[in-house]
Amino acid sequence: MPTTESVEFLNQELEKIEKWEKDQKGLWFWEKIGRLPFALLDKLTPKFIQAKIGMAIDELGSYIQTGGQYLISEKAVFQKFNLENEIISLEQVGQLPLSQMDEVAEELKNSRTKFAAVQGATTGFGGIFTLAIDIPVLLSLSLKVLQEIALSYGYDPKEKAERIFIVKCLQFASSDVVGKKAILEDLTDFASEKKNQRMISQLQGWREVVITYRDNFGWKKLFQLVPIAGMIFGSIINKSSIADVAETGMMLYRKRRILERLQQMKKPGEV
């Protein structure tokens, strides 16, 4: 348990995160468009693109259950801490000061966001013909950066409960204000003893978890259907998508770590 962080400091940092949560109220362009009838979306979206989106949803289900092809190595993340004593376990990461965790998570966020911009422009160049390539790549990038951020704060994405948390972070980044509120309330249980009690219902409801992600994802991808112009849309869309996902992961994982430390610092008998 770090000795350099006081209860006052942790509470101040928690207030910053709670302020960020309250700021997630405005519906931006994609969510406003997403309120149009989804039947229209189905008509506008080519069948093979719909199939790719459907496959992405199925892959999310597989990821929750087994991790599938998306699990990443811990070693590359551990090396980014650049400490005198080599990091060899998540337990060690979990004992580091928040500032060091934040630094590594921010570095990962910036790196993945830049890569997403380049990748989106590349696959957006061919419009509808290359969009099918972009969909699984963006999903993979989203899951990768969330797993890296989980590791940065000392959490193990190889655990099924953690993968559920990651998919919910993914959903949060694409949800409207009502969805965000519900997800925040749901994720609060991950920092409490209720987590294990709710695990069965979490697993049974994984398809509902990704419905919002699917709908908003479909709208965003439509803007890449036009060749050449798709380069601009593709770069902006993918960059903003990964940036939003990474920021969400940082905030929610940071909140969990702070709440756990505050709980550990409570004096015996305190509630």
Side-chain angles (χ1 to χ4, degrees), residues 24-38:
Q24 305 300 300
K25 291 182 178 180
L27 291 180
W28 67 307
F29 186 56
W30 308 117
E31 279 66 48
K32 290 177 182 177
I33 291 178
R35 289 175 178 251
L36 293 172
F38 291 128

Side-chain angles (χ1 to χ4, degrees), residues 4-245:
T4 57
E5 296 170 350
S6 65
V7 172
E8 290 75 18
F9 169 79
L10 292 173
N11 278 320
Q12 287 173 2
E13 296 303 301
L14 185 58
E15 286 179 7
K16 292 178 183 177
I17 297 171
E18 290 172 345
K19 181 181 182 301
W20 173 84
E21 292 175 349
K22 291 178 181 178
D23 289 340
Q24 305 300 300
K25 291 182 178 180
L27 291 180
W28 67 307
F29 186 56
W30 308 117
E31 279 66 48
K32 290 177 182 177
I33 291 178
R35 289 175 178 251
L36 293 172
F38 291 128
L40 176 61
L41 174 62
D42 290 336
K43 290 180 180 178
L44 292 174
T45 308
K47 288 186 178 180
F48 79 95
I49 298 298
Q50 291 186 42
K52 280 292 181 180
I53 294 174
M55 287 174 61
I57 294 172
D58 290 339
E59 288 181 12
L60 278 174
S62 175
Y63 170 73
I64 288 178
Q65 296 298 329
T66 66
Q69 61 180 314
Y70 298 107
L71 286 177
I72 63 171
S73 170
E74 298 173 350
K75 187 175 181 181
V77 175
F78 291 168
Q79 290 175 341
K80 292 185 178 296
F81 282 96
N82 294 322
L83 301 176
E84 292 183 5
N85 297 320
E86 184 181 0
I87 295 289
I88 59 173
S89 71
L90 281 172
E91 287 74 20
Q92 287 177 284
V93 175
Q95 298 297 314
L96 295 173
L98 277 173
S99 59
Q100 291 180 321
M101 295 177 172
D102 294 340
E103 185 177 345
V104 170
E106 186 68 31
E107 179 186 346
L108 290 165
K109 172 189 171 184
N110 293 337
S111 172
R112 300 308 173 200
T113 299
K114 290 177 182 176
F115 181 81
V118 174
Q119 180 269 327
T122 302
T123 54
F125 179 80
I128 191 173
F129 302 104
T130 51
L131 181 55
I133 301 172
D134 187 50
I135 290 171
V137 172
L138 185 59
L139 173 63
S140 178
L141 275 175
S142 298
L143 291 175
K144 183 179 179 68
V145 72
L146 285 171
Q147 288 181 97
E148 289 175 330
I149 288 172
L151 291 169
S152 300
Y153 287 95
Y155 297 96
D156 188 359
K158 290 195 292 292
E159 294 182 359
K160 186 176 290 186
E162 219 53 66
R163 295 198 294 272
I164 293 172
F165 188 92
I166 284 170
V167 172
K168 284 187 174 290
C169 287
L170 197 63
Q171 184 198 19
F172 182 92
S174 293
S175 292
D176 61 16
V177 61
V178 177
K180 281 179 166 60
K181 181 179 179 181
I183 295 166
L184 285 175
E185 291 174 354
D186 200 21
L187 291 183
T188 299
D189 288 344
F190 277 80
S192 73
E193 295 179 356
K194 296 179 182 178
K195 180 180 70 173
N196 292 330
Q197 299 172 9
R198 293 175 59 93
M199 188 55 57
I200 294 177
S201 62
Q202 297 281 4
L203 288 172
Q204 290 174 338
W206 77 263
R207 286 188 178 275
E208 287 74 16
V209 168
V210 297
I211 285 176
T212 304
Y213 175 73
R214 177 201 65 188
D215 293 335
N216 286 285
F217 187 76
W219 277 114
K220 292 178 183 180
K221 295 292 99 180
L222 276 179
F223 284 85
Q224 286 178 255
L225 293 180
V226 182
I228 308 302
M231 287 183 63
I232 300 173
F233 284 120
S235 178
I236 294 173
I237 290 167
N238 285 17
K239 180 180 179 181
S240 66
S241 293
I242 296 301
D244 289 347
V245 165

